[in-house]
Amino acid sequence: MSSTALLLWAKGPGFAFAAAVFLFGVTLRVVEMLWLRRRPDRSVARGSGALQGLRTVVSRFLPAPGLVARSPVVHVGGMVFHLGLFAVVFLYGPHIAAIRGMTGLDWPGLPTGAIDGATVLTIAAMIVLLIARSKDPVRRLLTTGADHLAWTATLLPLLTGFLLVNRVALPFETLLAVHLLSVELLLVLFPFTTLMHAVTFAFARYYAGAIAGRKGAHS
Amino acid sequence: MSTKPALLPLLDSHGISRRDFTKYCTGLTAAMALAPAMAPRVAEALERARRPSVIWLSFQECTGCTESLTRADAPSLEQLILSAVSLDYHHTLQAAAGHGAETARLKAMAENAGQYLVLVDGSVPLGDPGYSTIAGRSNLDILHETVAGAAAVVAIGSCAAFGGLPAAAPNPTGAVSIGSLITDKPVVNLPGCPPIPVVMTAVIAHFLTFGRLPELDSLGRPRAFYGDTIHDRCYRRAFYDKGLFAKSFDDEGARKGWCLFELGCKGPTTYNACATVKWNGGVSFPIQSGHPCLGCSQPDFWDAGSFYRPLSQPWGADGHLAANAVAAGIGIGVAAGMAAIEAKKRAAAERQPVTLADLEVKP
C-alpha cells in the first residue's frame, strides 16, 4: 500500500470508523450513567446544590491547599501534562482547521514553535509521571494493563505529531497517515478506558459539589 | 547521432549570446544541485552535444506538457535546447504525418540504437487498447517497440509518471504509468501537471553531461528538483509557523498573503521545485498567485480528496454518520441503564441478610 493510499484510508474509512466508535461509545457511557440517576434526597436543602456543583467543576482544576507540597511530581507533572495536551490538541492551526472543517467552529491558534515546545513538555511530563507511578508501591498496585494502554494511546499521537511537524525519518505524507491512525486508535479506545475521564470528570465533580452544596458546604 | 547543427550555432542564430548560454548553464548546474565547478562541464557538454536522438511519445495526455515546454511567449533556452537535441519524433511538433512520421521514428531508432532517449507523456491504457492508438497500433505496442533500443526513458508529466488524470477513479481505460511497464531500462519520472520546463531540460542536460540519469528518489524523480516539499521552500511558510492562515480567498489573511493551508494547500505533501524555480521565467507560482498548491506532482493527486479541504481534515465522518452513532449510543445506553437498574433490584430482592451467627467461627 502506498503512503498516499494509506493516508486516504486513514482520512476516509479509518476516520469514519473511529469517529463512529468514539461518538457511539461516549454517548453510551454518558446516557447509561445518567439513566442510573441518584437516589432522591428528601432532606431540606441548606444550600444550592446546582450552584455548588458547577463551582466544583471549575474549582477542582486547581489542587487543594497543601497537596502540591505533599506530592509535587504528581501535581506539577499532571498540570503540565493536561495543559500541554489541551494546547497541542486545540490550539494548533492544522487541528483547528480540521475541527473547523467538521463542525464550523473556529478560534485563533498558537505558533508552531509554541506547540512544538508544548508537545515536548507534555511527553516529558508523561514519562515522569509514569516513572513516579512505577516507583510508588500503592499506585503500582492500582495500575492495570488498561492504564498502560491508555498511556500508550495518548503518547502515540503526541509522538507522531512531533515527528510529523519536524519531518523526522519519514516523508510528510507517511507521517501524516501514521499520525491520523494513532489519533484514530485513541478515539476508539477513549470511551472504554480511563481516558473517558476527560468527559466524566465534569459529572463526577458536579455530583460531589452538588451533594456537599446541598448540605451547606462550600466547594 | 543526428546530423543537425550543434547547439551553439543554433543559439547564435536566435541572437542568444555565449554569455547568456553560460549564465543558463550555471543556473542549470545550480538547479541540479551540482557543484559550481561543474558549470563549465555542463556548458561544454551541451555545446559539443551532437544531439542524441530524442523520440517523444504521446499517449493518453492533454499536450499540456509540450505546451509547458514550447509555448512560452518568447523562445526560451529550454525550448531551443530541446530543439537542438534532435527531436526526431513528436506528434505536435513534427512536420511529418502518417506513414512519414512513423518512418521517421523507426529510422531514428535504427540509426541511434542503444543511444536514443525516449520521452513519454501520457499514460498507457491497458483496459482496452482501443482507447488510444497511433497509426492503428496500441500505445503499449509502440512503447515496447520504441523503448527496446533506448538508452533511457523519461516519463514526462504526472500521467506518464503515475497514471495521472486518466488513471483517476474509476480509471475507465485501465491507465497505468510508464514505469510500471518498463522494467529493463532506466526510467526517470518528471511528474507535474505540467512539469517545470527547466526540470525537463536539466535531466536531458545531465544525461548529455554525465552519460547517465541524475540521482532519483523513491518515486523515480530527480532529487535535485523533487527533494524538498513546496511547503519547506514556500515564502509563506513563516505565516504557517506563526499560525496565521487565510480562511477564505477574500479575507484579511488572503489579502495579507498568509498561509493557504486552511484553504487546502497540498504544499506539505508535495515534492516539487515550484516554490524555488517558479513558472513563466521565474515570475510566480500558484501559491504566490494566491491559490493553494494542488499537489499535482504526487501520485493519485486527483483522487487525494478535495483541492480545497485542509490536509489535516479527515472526510470519512459526516453529519449522517455522527447522528447514527449518537442515536445508537443513546438507545444502547438507555438499555444498559435499564438492565443495570433491574440487576440492582434483583440483587436487593435476592440478598441474604448476614446474621451474627453467620459470622461466628464455627468449631
Side-chain angles (χ1 to χ4, degrees), chain B residues 3 7 13 28 42 66 96 129 131 138 143 150 193 196-197 222 233 251 314 318-319:
Chain B
T3 55
L7 178 61
S13 69
L28 205 60
V42 171
T66 300
Y131 281 118
S138 72
L143 177 70
C193 192
I196 301 171
R233 296 289 185 172
D251 70 356
D318 56 13

Side-chain angles (χ1 to χ4, degrees), chain B residues 271-359:
Chain B
Y271 290 80
N272 208 336
C274 300
T276 46
V277 176
K278 300 190 181 176
W279 290 82
N280 301 326
V283 170
S284 182
F285 72 112
I287 292 172
Q288 194 172 342
S289 303
H291 194 280
C293 167
L294 301 180
C296 72
S297 58
Q298 291 301 115
D300 305 322
F301 84 98
W302 196 263
D303 290 326
S306 165
F307 290 155
Y308 301 103
R309 184 186 289 127
L311 260 177
S312 58
Q313 186 189 330
W315 61 77
D318 56 13
H320 189 67
L321 181 133
N324 282 339
V326 169
I330 291 172
I332 298 179
V334 167
M338 290 171 71
I341 290 171
E342 281 305 309
K344 192 177 168 188
K345 284 180 183 171
R346 201 164 46 247
E350 294 171 359
R351 189 175 61 203
Q352 300 291 321
V354 178
T355 62
L356 280 175
D358 294 329
L359 298 175

Side-chain angles (χ1 to χ4, degrees), chain A residues 2 4-5 7-8 10-13 15-16 19-21 23-24 27-28 31-32 35-37 39 92-98 100-102 106-107 109-113 165 167 171-173 176 180, chain B residues 229 231-232 237 240-243 245-248 261-263 268-269 271 298-300 303-305 310-317 321-322 325-326 328-330 332-334 336-338 340-341 344:
Chain A
S2 70
T4 306
L7 179 59
L8 291 178
K11 281 185 168 184
F15 185 77
V21 171
L23 290 171
F24 166 76
T27 310
L28 183 151
V31 168
E32 182 187 10
W35 193 264
L36 291 174
R37 299 182 293 275
R39 184 177 296 172
Y92 182 45
H95 293 169
I96 298 170
R100 183 169 80 115
M102 289 186 282
D106 194 20
W107 58 88
L110 290 176
T112 306
V165 170
R167 312 292 175 84
F172 188 95
E173 200 169 44
L176 180 57
L180 275 170
Chain B
T229 62
H231 181 68
D232 286 337
R237 173 64 183 270
Y240 175 91
D241 289 336
K242 283 183 180 176
F245 301 97
K247 310 275 184 184
S248 76
F261 182 90
E262 294 202 12
L263 293 175
T269 54
Y271 290 80
Q298 291 301 115
D300 305 322
D303 290 326
L311 260 177
S312 58
Q313 186 189 330
W315 61 77
L321 181 133
V326 169
I330 291 172
I332 298 179
V334 167
M338 290 171 71
I341 290 171
K344 192 177 168 188

